mmCIF file of all heavy atoms in Angstrom:
data_model
loop_
_atom_site.group_PDB
_atom_site.id
_atom_site.type_symbol
_atom_site.label_atom_id
_atom_site.label_comp_id
_atom_site.label_asym_id
_atom_site.label_seq_id
_atom_site.Cartn_x
_atom_site.Cartn_y
_atom_site.Cartn_z
ATOM 1 N N ALA A 392 -229.810 -49.421 -32.461
ATOM 2 C CA ALA A 392 -230.538 -50.438 -31.831
ATOM 3 C C ALA A 392 -230.930 -49.974 -30.347
ATOM 4 O O ALA A 392 -232.010 -50.170 -29.979
ATOM 5 C CB ALA A 392 -229.649 -51.749 -31.611
ATOM 6 N N ARG A 393 -229.981 -49.287 -29.750
ATOM 7 C CA ARG A 393 -230.230 -48.682 -28.447
ATOM 8 C C ARG A 393 -231.336 -47.790 -28.461
ATOM 9 O O ARG A 393 -232.308 -47.666 -27.628
ATOM 10 C CB ARG A 393 -228.943 -48.106 -27.770
ATOM 11 C CG ARG A 393 -229.077 -47.701 -26.290
ATOM 12 C CD ARG A 393 -227.798 -47.395 -25.755
ATOM 13 N NE ARG A 393 -226.691 -47.059 -26.606
ATOM 14 C CZ ARG A 393 -226.338 -45.785 -26.967
ATOM 15 N NH1 ARG A 393 -227.070 -44.752 -26.494
ATOM 16 N NH2 ARG A 393 -225.330 -45.558 -27.838
ATOM 17 N N LEU A 394 -231.260 -46.750 -29.403
ATOM 18 C CA LEU A 394 -232.238 -45.713 -29.535
ATOM 19 C C LEU A 394 -233.652 -46.284 -29.933
ATOM 20 O O LEU A 394 -234.693 -45.799 -29.552
ATOM 21 C CB LEU A 394 -231.748 -44.636 -30.500
ATOM 22 C CG LEU A 394 -230.658 -43.693 -30.023
ATOM 23 C CD1 LEU A 394 -230.130 -42.839 -31.007
ATOM 24 C CD2 LEU A 394 -231.222 -42.852 -28.744
ATOM 25 N N THR A 395 -233.550 -47.321 -30.789
ATOM 26 C CA THR A 395 -234.816 -47.910 -31.149
ATOM 27 C C THR A 395 -235.566 -48.568 -30.033
ATOM 28 O O THR A 395 -236.759 -48.412 -29.921
ATOM 29 C CB THR A 395 -234.489 -49.062 -32.290
ATOM 30 O OG1 THR A 395 -234.011 -48.426 -33.431
ATOM 31 C CG2 THR A 395 -235.803 -49.891 -32.656
ATOM 32 N N LYS A 396 -234.730 -49.181 -29.206
ATOM 33 C CA LYS A 396 -235.376 -49.818 -27.994
ATOM 34 C C LYS A 396 -235.878 -48.729 -26.918
ATOM 35 O O LYS A 396 -236.986 -48.924 -26.540
ATOM 36 C CB LYS A 396 -234.282 -50.739 -27.334
ATOM 37 C CG LYS A 396 -234.844 -51.391 -26.134
ATOM 38 C CD LYS A 396 -233.808 -52.368 -25.515
ATOM 39 C CE LYS A 396 -234.348 -52.970 -24.278
ATOM 40 N NZ LYS A 396 -233.272 -53.855 -23.587
ATOM 41 N N VAL A 397 -234.985 -47.727 -26.622
ATOM 42 C CA VAL A 397 -235.345 -46.803 -25.649
ATOM 43 C C VAL A 397 -236.516 -45.957 -26.132
ATOM 44 O O VAL A 397 -237.533 -45.609 -25.348
ATOM 45 C CB VAL A 397 -234.190 -45.890 -25.288
ATOM 46 C CG1 VAL A 397 -234.573 -44.657 -24.528
ATOM 47 C CG2 VAL A 397 -232.969 -46.544 -24.639
ATOM 48 N N LEU A 398 -236.513 -45.553 -27.387
ATOM 49 C CA LEU A 398 -237.524 -44.643 -27.916
ATOM 50 C C LEU A 398 -238.716 -45.306 -28.706
ATOM 51 O O LEU A 398 -239.634 -44.732 -29.069
ATOM 52 C CB LEU A 398 -236.828 -43.593 -28.940
ATOM 53 C CG LEU A 398 -235.809 -42.763 -28.371
ATOM 54 C CD1 LEU A 398 -235.149 -42.029 -29.529
ATOM 55 C CD2 LEU A 398 -236.286 -41.902 -27.215
ATOM 56 N N GLN A 399 -238.615 -46.612 -28.776
ATOM 57 C CA GLN A 399 -239.657 -47.482 -29.491
ATOM 58 C C GLN A 399 -239.940 -46.968 -30.920
ATOM 59 O O GLN A 399 -240.929 -46.591 -31.259
ATOM 60 C CB GLN A 399 -240.923 -47.482 -28.621
ATOM 61 C CG GLN A 399 -240.661 -48.109 -27.311
ATOM 62 C CD GLN A 399 -241.861 -48.182 -26.463
ATOM 63 O OE1 GLN A 399 -242.884 -47.421 -26.589
ATOM 64 N NE2 GLN A 399 -241.949 -49.036 -25.366
ATOM 65 N N LEU A 400 -238.815 -46.839 -31.638
ATOM 66 C CA LEU A 400 -238.918 -46.319 -33.017
ATOM 67 C C LEU A 400 -239.562 -47.305 -33.958
ATOM 68 O O LEU A 400 -239.420 -48.530 -33.846
ATOM 69 C CB LEU A 400 -237.441 -46.037 -33.551
ATOM 70 C CG LEU A 400 -236.582 -45.002 -32.638
ATOM 71 C CD1 LEU A 400 -235.271 -44.877 -33.477
ATOM 72 C CD2 LEU A 400 -237.273 -43.742 -32.681
ATOM 73 N N ASN A 401 -240.340 -46.774 -34.914
ATOM 74 C CA ASN A 401 -240.972 -47.579 -35.862
ATOM 75 C C ASN A 401 -239.935 -47.796 -37.014
ATOM 76 O O ASN A 401 -238.826 -47.309 -36.971
ATOM 77 C CB ASN A 401 -242.264 -47.030 -36.446
ATOM 78 C CG ASN A 401 -242.065 -45.645 -37.083
ATOM 79 O OD1 ASN A 401 -241.069 -45.441 -37.685
ATOM 80 N ND2 ASN A 401 -243.026 -44.884 -36.873
ATOM 81 N N GLU A 402 -240.134 -48.573 -38.023
ATOM 82 C CA GLU A 402 -239.179 -48.903 -39.073
ATOM 83 C C GLU A 402 -238.819 -47.671 -39.810
ATOM 84 O O GLU A 402 -237.662 -47.641 -40.142
ATOM 85 C CB GLU A 402 -239.777 -49.981 -40.006
ATOM 86 C CG GLU A 402 -238.705 -50.521 -40.950
ATOM 87 C CD GLU A 402 -237.491 -51.237 -40.278
ATOM 88 O OE1 GLU A 402 -237.707 -51.873 -39.249
ATOM 89 O OE2 GLU A 402 -236.412 -51.034 -40.768
ATOM 90 N N ALA A 403 -239.722 -46.901 -40.062
ATOM 91 C CA ALA A 403 -239.381 -45.607 -40.871
ATOM 92 C C ALA A 403 -238.439 -44.768 -40.146
ATOM 93 O O ALA A 403 -237.423 -44.191 -40.667
ATOM 94 C CB ALA A 403 -240.569 -44.794 -41.286
ATOM 95 N N GLN A 404 -238.697 -44.651 -38.747
ATOM 96 C CA GLN A 404 -237.879 -43.763 -37.994
ATOM 97 C C GLN A 404 -236.438 -44.292 -37.846
ATOM 98 O O GLN A 404 -235.489 -43.685 -37.917
ATOM 99 C CB GLN A 404 -238.455 -43.564 -36.508
ATOM 100 C CG GLN A 404 -239.697 -42.835 -36.522
ATOM 101 C CD GLN A 404 -240.390 -42.814 -35.184
ATOM 102 O OE1 GLN A 404 -240.528 -43.850 -34.539
ATOM 103 N NE2 GLN A 404 -240.798 -41.599 -34.706
ATOM 104 N N ARG A 405 -236.509 -45.691 -37.731
ATOM 105 C CA ARG A 405 -235.089 -46.309 -37.582
ATOM 106 C C ARG A 405 -234.387 -46.235 -38.743
ATOM 107 O O ARG A 405 -233.046 -45.935 -38.774
ATOM 108 C CB ARG A 405 -235.367 -47.821 -37.353
ATOM 109 C CG ARG A 405 -234.172 -48.639 -36.818
ATOM 110 C CD ARG A 405 -234.616 -50.006 -36.367
ATOM 111 N NE ARG A 405 -234.793 -50.799 -37.438
ATOM 112 C CZ ARG A 405 -234.019 -51.822 -37.755
ATOM 113 N NH1 ARG A 405 -232.993 -52.081 -37.012
ATOM 114 N NH2 ARG A 405 -234.319 -52.597 -38.806
ATOM 115 N N SER A 406 -234.932 -46.307 -39.884
ATOM 116 C CA SER A 406 -234.256 -46.031 -41.241
ATOM 117 C C SER A 406 -233.775 -44.551 -41.351
ATOM 118 O O SER A 406 -232.639 -44.313 -41.782
ATOM 119 C CB SER A 406 -235.182 -46.456 -42.355
ATOM 120 O OG SER A 406 -234.516 -46.030 -43.576
ATOM 121 N N ALA A 407 -234.549 -43.663 -40.943
ATOM 122 C CA ALA A 407 -234.118 -42.263 -40.989
ATOM 123 C C ALA A 407 -233.009 -42.040 -40.048
ATOM 124 O O ALA A 407 -232.078 -41.306 -40.329
ATOM 125 C CB ALA A 407 -235.417 -41.345 -40.625
ATOM 126 N N LEU A 408 -233.105 -42.643 -38.821
ATOM 127 C CA LEU A 408 -231.999 -42.495 -37.851
ATOM 128 C C LEU A 408 -230.660 -43.034 -38.430
ATOM 129 O O LEU A 408 -229.587 -42.498 -38.353
ATOM 130 C CB LEU A 408 -232.268 -43.274 -36.595
ATOM 131 C CG LEU A 408 -231.253 -43.216 -35.441
ATOM 132 C CD1 LEU A 408 -231.033 -41.803 -35.052
ATOM 133 C CD2 LEU A 408 -231.779 -43.974 -34.249
ATOM 134 N N LYS A 409 -230.701 -44.182 -39.031
ATOM 135 C CA LYS A 409 -229.452 -44.814 -39.649
ATOM 136 C C LYS A 409 -228.983 -43.864 -40.716
ATOM 137 O O LYS A 409 -227.723 -43.636 -40.745
ATOM 138 C CB LYS A 409 -229.762 -46.157 -40.287
ATOM 139 C CG LYS A 409 -229.769 -47.257 -39.423
ATOM 140 C CD LYS A 409 -230.064 -48.651 -40.090
ATOM 141 C CE LYS A 409 -228.770 -49.319 -40.086
ATOM 142 N NZ LYS A 409 -228.936 -50.745 -40.496
ATOM 143 N N THR A 410 -229.751 -43.191 -41.490
ATOM 144 C CA THR A 410 -229.373 -42.328 -42.593
ATOM 145 C C THR A 410 -228.630 -41.049 -41.863
ATOM 146 O O THR A 410 -227.553 -40.718 -42.379
ATOM 147 C CB THR A 410 -230.508 -41.826 -43.511
ATOM 148 O OG1 THR A 410 -231.013 -43.018 -44.060
ATOM 149 C CG2 THR A 410 -230.057 -40.855 -44.560
ATOM 150 N N ILE A 411 -229.362 -40.457 -40.908
ATOM 151 C CA ILE A 411 -228.707 -39.324 -40.200
ATOM 152 C C ILE A 411 -227.310 -39.664 -39.635
ATOM 153 O O ILE A 411 -226.384 -38.971 -39.811
ATOM 154 C CB ILE A 411 -229.732 -38.872 -39.164
ATOM 155 C CG1 ILE A 411 -230.920 -38.349 -39.834
ATOM 156 C CG2 ILE A 411 -228.994 -37.827 -38.219
ATOM 157 C CD1 ILE A 411 -232.146 -38.056 -38.766
ATOM 158 N N LEU A 412 -227.276 -40.869 -38.893
ATOM 159 C CA LEU A 412 -226.057 -41.313 -38.388
ATOM 160 C C LEU A 412 -224.950 -41.514 -39.281
ATOM 161 O O LEU A 412 -223.748 -41.312 -39.079
ATOM 162 C CB LEU A 412 -226.233 -42.272 -37.369
ATOM 163 C CG LEU A 412 -227.020 -42.045 -36.164
ATOM 164 C CD1 LEU A 412 -227.308 -43.339 -35.295
ATOM 165 C CD2 LEU A 412 -226.598 -41.017 -35.270
ATOM 166 N N GLU A 413 -225.288 -42.082 -40.498
ATOM 167 C CA GLU A 413 -224.253 -42.356 -41.505
ATOM 168 C C GLU A 413 -223.727 -41.053 -42.101
ATOM 169 O O GLU A 413 -222.654 -40.945 -42.203
ATOM 170 C CB GLU A 413 -224.965 -43.228 -42.632
ATOM 171 C CG GLU A 413 -223.885 -43.430 -43.810
ATOM 172 C CD GLU A 413 -222.752 -44.212 -43.408
ATOM 173 O OE1 GLU A 413 -222.743 -45.120 -42.475
ATOM 174 O OE2 GLU A 413 -221.639 -44.025 -44.092
ATOM 175 N N GLN A 414 -224.630 -40.141 -42.307
ATOM 176 C CA GLN A 414 -224.216 -38.747 -42.759
ATOM 177 C C GLN A 414 -223.328 -38.078 -41.756
ATOM 178 O O GLN A 414 -222.384 -37.417 -42.099
ATOM 179 C CB GLN A 414 -225.452 -37.867 -43.084
ATOM 180 C CG GLN A 414 -226.254 -38.316 -44.379
ATOM 181 C CD GLN A 414 -227.498 -37.538 -44.426
ATOM 182 O OE1 GLN A 414 -228.022 -36.979 -43.521
ATOM 183 N NE2 GLN A 414 -228.112 -37.728 -45.638
ATOM 184 N N ARG A 415 -223.655 -38.223 -40.439
ATOM 185 C CA ARG A 415 -222.852 -37.673 -39.403
ATOM 186 C C ARG A 415 -221.498 -38.237 -39.468
ATOM 187 O O ARG A 415 -220.544 -37.527 -39.341
ATOM 188 C CB ARG A 415 -223.636 -37.955 -38.064
ATOM 189 C CG ARG A 415 -222.689 -37.604 -36.866
ATOM 190 C CD ARG A 415 -223.330 -38.229 -35.572
ATOM 191 N NE ARG A 415 -222.519 -37.931 -34.372
ATOM 192 C CZ ARG A 415 -221.629 -38.844 -33.908
ATOM 193 N NH1 ARG A 415 -221.397 -39.995 -34.521
ATOM 194 N NH2 ARG A 415 -220.965 -38.448 -32.815
ATOM 195 N N ARG A 416 -221.372 -39.556 -39.664
ATOM 196 C CA ARG A 416 -220.082 -40.224 -39.650
ATOM 197 C C ARG A 416 -219.291 -39.639 -40.797
ATOM 198 O O ARG A 416 -218.062 -39.289 -40.618
ATOM 199 C CB ARG A 416 -220.252 -41.710 -39.712
ATOM 200 C CG ARG A 416 -218.853 -42.434 -39.605
ATOM 201 C CD ARG A 416 -219.218 -43.992 -39.614
ATOM 202 N NE ARG A 416 -219.855 -44.457 -40.689
ATOM 203 C CZ ARG A 416 -219.353 -45.061 -41.734
ATOM 204 N NH1 ARG A 416 -218.022 -45.217 -41.784
ATOM 205 N NH2 ARG A 416 -220.141 -45.482 -42.738
ATOM 206 N N GLN A 417 -219.804 -39.581 -41.930
ATOM 207 C CA GLN A 417 -219.160 -39.066 -43.148
ATOM 208 C C GLN A 417 -218.610 -37.612 -42.885
ATOM 209 O O GLN A 417 -217.586 -37.165 -43.317
ATOM 210 C CB GLN A 417 -219.942 -39.175 -44.327
ATOM 211 C CG GLN A 417 -220.200 -40.504 -44.715
ATOM 212 C CD GLN A 417 -221.159 -40.689 -45.907
ATOM 213 O OE1 GLN A 417 -221.721 -39.683 -46.432
ATOM 214 N NE2 GLN A 417 -221.554 -41.956 -46.283
ATOM 215 N N GLU A 418 -219.571 -36.759 -42.330
ATOM 216 C CA GLU A 418 -219.247 -35.313 -42.219
ATOM 217 C C GLU A 418 -218.138 -35.201 -41.106
ATOM 218 O O GLU A 418 -217.157 -34.343 -41.264
ATOM 219 C CB GLU A 418 -220.466 -34.499 -41.827
ATOM 220 C CG GLU A 418 -220.301 -33.014 -41.784
ATOM 221 C CD GLU A 418 -219.791 -32.403 -43.151
ATOM 222 O OE1 GLU A 418 -220.063 -32.983 -44.234
ATOM 223 O OE2 GLU A 418 -218.996 -31.427 -43.140
ATOM 224 N N PHE A 419 -218.146 -35.955 -40.049
ATOM 225 C CA PHE A 419 -217.127 -35.900 -38.963
ATOM 226 C C PHE A 419 -215.879 -36.256 -39.612
ATOM 227 O O PHE A 419 -214.780 -35.635 -39.280
ATOM 228 C CB PHE A 419 -217.483 -36.730 -37.804
ATOM 229 C CG PHE A 419 -218.230 -35.982 -36.717
ATOM 230 C CD1 PHE A 419 -219.466 -36.363 -36.292
ATOM 231 C CD2 PHE A 419 -217.591 -34.891 -36.099
ATOM 232 C CE1 PHE A 419 -220.087 -35.702 -35.393
ATOM 233 C CE2 PHE A 419 -218.250 -34.267 -35.001
ATOM 234 C CZ PHE A 419 -219.558 -34.709 -34.685
ATOM 235 N N TRP A 420 -215.863 -37.232 -40.416
ATOM 236 C CA TRP A 420 -214.521 -37.668 -41.160
ATOM 237 C C TRP A 420 -214.083 -36.590 -41.894
ATOM 238 O O TRP A 420 -212.828 -36.302 -41.992
ATOM 239 C CB TRP A 420 -214.840 -39.007 -41.972
ATOM 240 C CG TRP A 420 -213.591 -39.571 -42.446
ATOM 241 C CD1 TRP A 420 -212.902 -40.436 -41.889
ATOM 242 C CD2 TRP A 420 -212.884 -39.226 -43.636
ATOM 243 N NE1 TRP A 420 -211.780 -40.767 -42.673
ATOM 244 C CE2 TRP A 420 -211.687 -40.019 -43.789
ATOM 245 C CE3 TRP A 420 -213.152 -38.367 -44.738
ATOM 246 C CZ2 TRP A 420 -210.849 -39.984 -44.756
ATOM 247 C CZ3 TRP A 420 -212.272 -38.214 -45.696
ATOM 248 C CH2 TRP A 420 -211.119 -39.023 -45.783
ATOM 249 N N ARG A 421 -214.884 -35.908 -42.721
ATOM 250 C CA ARG A 421 -214.490 -34.804 -43.594
ATOM 251 C C ARG A 421 -213.883 -33.677 -42.722
ATOM 252 O O ARG A 421 -212.837 -33.223 -43.079
ATOM 253 C CB ARG A 421 -215.667 -34.392 -44.368
ATOM 254 C CG ARG A 421 -215.285 -33.725 -45.724
ATOM 255 C CD ARG A 421 -216.526 -33.433 -46.636
ATOM 256 N NE ARG A 421 -217.875 -33.638 -46.138
ATOM 257 C CZ ARG A 421 -218.642 -34.695 -46.486
ATOM 258 N NH1 ARG A 421 -218.205 -35.556 -47.168
ATOM 259 N NH2 ARG A 421 -219.847 -34.685 -46.064
ATOM 260 N N ILE A 422 -214.567 -33.346 -41.613
ATOM 261 C CA ILE A 422 -214.102 -32.369 -40.842
ATOM 262 C C ILE A 422 -212.778 -32.627 -40.149
ATOM 263 O O ILE A 422 -211.859 -31.906 -40.126
ATOM 264 C CB ILE A 422 -215.132 -32.026 -39.573
ATOM 265 C CG1 ILE A 422 -216.402 -31.306 -40.188
ATOM 266 C CG2 ILE A 422 -214.427 -31.059 -38.600
ATOM 267 C CD1 ILE A 422 -217.489 -31.204 -39.238
ATOM 268 N N ARG A 423 -212.656 -33.853 -39.616
ATOM 269 C CA ARG A 423 -211.383 -34.312 -39.004
ATOM 270 C C ARG A 423 -210.192 -34.289 -39.945
ATOM 271 O O ARG A 423 -209.098 -34.118 -39.478
ATOM 272 C CB ARG A 423 -211.612 -35.737 -38.354
ATOM 273 C CG ARG A 423 -210.409 -36.176 -37.608
ATOM 274 C CD ARG A 423 -210.771 -37.591 -37.019
ATOM 275 N NE ARG A 423 -209.720 -37.948 -36.189
ATOM 276 C CZ ARG A 423 -209.431 -39.193 -35.828
ATOM 277 N NH1 ARG A 423 -210.303 -40.190 -36.159
ATOM 278 N NH2 ARG A 423 -208.346 -39.399 -35.080
ATOM 279 N N HIS A 424 -210.425 -34.589 -41.076
ATOM 280 C CA HIS A 424 -209.352 -34.693 -42.165
ATOM 281 C C HIS A 424 -209.122 -33.494 -42.997
ATOM 282 O O HIS A 424 -208.457 -33.622 -44.056
ATOM 283 C CB HIS A 424 -209.533 -36.051 -42.961
ATOM 284 C CG HIS A 424 -209.321 -37.255 -42.120
ATOM 285 N ND1 HIS A 424 -210.465 -37.845 -41.612
ATOM 286 C CD2 HIS A 424 -208.328 -37.947 -41.849
ATOM 287 C CE1 HIS A 424 -210.008 -38.906 -40.931
ATOM 288 N NE2 HIS A 424 -208.779 -39.058 -41.037
ATOM 289 N N ASP A 425 -209.801 -32.372 -42.612
ATOM 290 C CA ASP A 425 -209.583 -31.180 -43.422
ATOM 291 C C ASP A 425 -208.355 -30.371 -42.953
ATOM 292 O O ASP A 425 -208.401 -29.933 -41.854
ATOM 293 C CB ASP A 425 -210.850 -30.311 -43.261
ATOM 294 C CG ASP A 425 -210.885 -29.100 -44.151
ATOM 295 O OD1 ASP A 425 -209.714 -28.637 -44.596
ATOM 296 O OD2 ASP A 425 -211.893 -28.457 -44.278
ATOM 297 N N PRO A 426 -207.348 -30.311 -43.738
ATOM 298 C CA PRO A 426 -206.116 -29.783 -43.267
ATOM 299 C C PRO A 426 -206.093 -28.212 -43.241
ATOM 300 O O PRO A 426 -205.281 -27.743 -42.552
ATOM 301 C CB PRO A 426 -204.970 -30.262 -44.283
ATOM 302 C CG PRO A 426 -205.907 -30.435 -45.547
ATOM 303 C CD PRO A 426 -207.190 -30.968 -45.008
ATOM 304 N N SER A 427 -207.096 -27.684 -43.807
ATOM 305 C CA SER A 427 -207.245 -26.097 -43.703
ATOM 306 C C SER A 427 -207.785 -25.675 -42.370
ATOM 307 O O SER A 427 -207.746 -24.457 -42.135
ATOM 308 C CB SER A 427 -208.114 -25.740 -44.871
ATOM 309 O OG SER A 427 -209.465 -26.064 -44.714
ATOM 310 N N LEU A 428 -208.305 -26.612 -41.526
ATOM 311 C CA LEU A 428 -208.926 -26.133 -40.329
ATOM 312 C C LEU A 428 -207.953 -26.270 -39.177
ATOM 313 O O LEU A 428 -207.163 -27.240 -39.103
ATOM 314 C CB LEU A 428 -210.169 -27.003 -39.963
ATOM 315 C CG LEU A 428 -211.245 -27.023 -40.991
ATOM 316 C CD1 LEU A 428 -212.354 -28.048 -40.510
ATOM 317 C CD2 LEU A 428 -211.864 -25.656 -41.139
ATOM 318 N N SER A 429 -208.021 -25.358 -38.227
ATOM 319 C CA SER A 429 -207.162 -25.335 -37.049
ATOM 320 C C SER A 429 -207.797 -26.274 -36.110
ATOM 321 O O SER A 429 -208.961 -26.751 -36.203
ATOM 322 C CB SER A 429 -206.954 -24.033 -36.452
ATOM 323 O OG SER A 429 -208.296 -23.591 -35.918
ATOM 324 N N GLY A 430 -207.109 -26.581 -35.015
ATOM 325 C CA GLY A 430 -207.707 -27.523 -33.935
ATOM 326 C C GLY A 430 -208.989 -26.903 -33.365
ATOM 327 O O GLY A 430 -209.904 -27.665 -33.202
#
């Protein structure tokens, strides 16, 4: 919502942004919980 307002995103951009951020969240979770990685 904040980026949509600041950047005046259209609906397609807003949808793409949501997809990117959802993928980001999932990948960060995967990285954070990977026991094979050091700090």
Side-chain angles (χ1 to χ4, degrees):
R393 185 170 22 93
L394 287 171
T395 297
K396 182 178 178 182
V397 169
L398 301 175
Q399 299 175 342
L400 301 178
N401 62 38
E402 190 58 39
Q404 290 172 314
R405 197 169 76 109
S406 177
L408 179 63
K409 278 183 110 168
T410 300
I411 291 167
L412 293 178
E413 179 61 31
Q414 290 171 344
R415 171 189 178 264
R416 185 172 59 95
Q417 291 173 4
E418 188 59 30
F419 268 118
W420 188 91
R421 208 173 4 262
I422 291 169
R423 185 174 183 201
H424 293 91
D425 185 342
S427 69
L428 299 176
S429 69

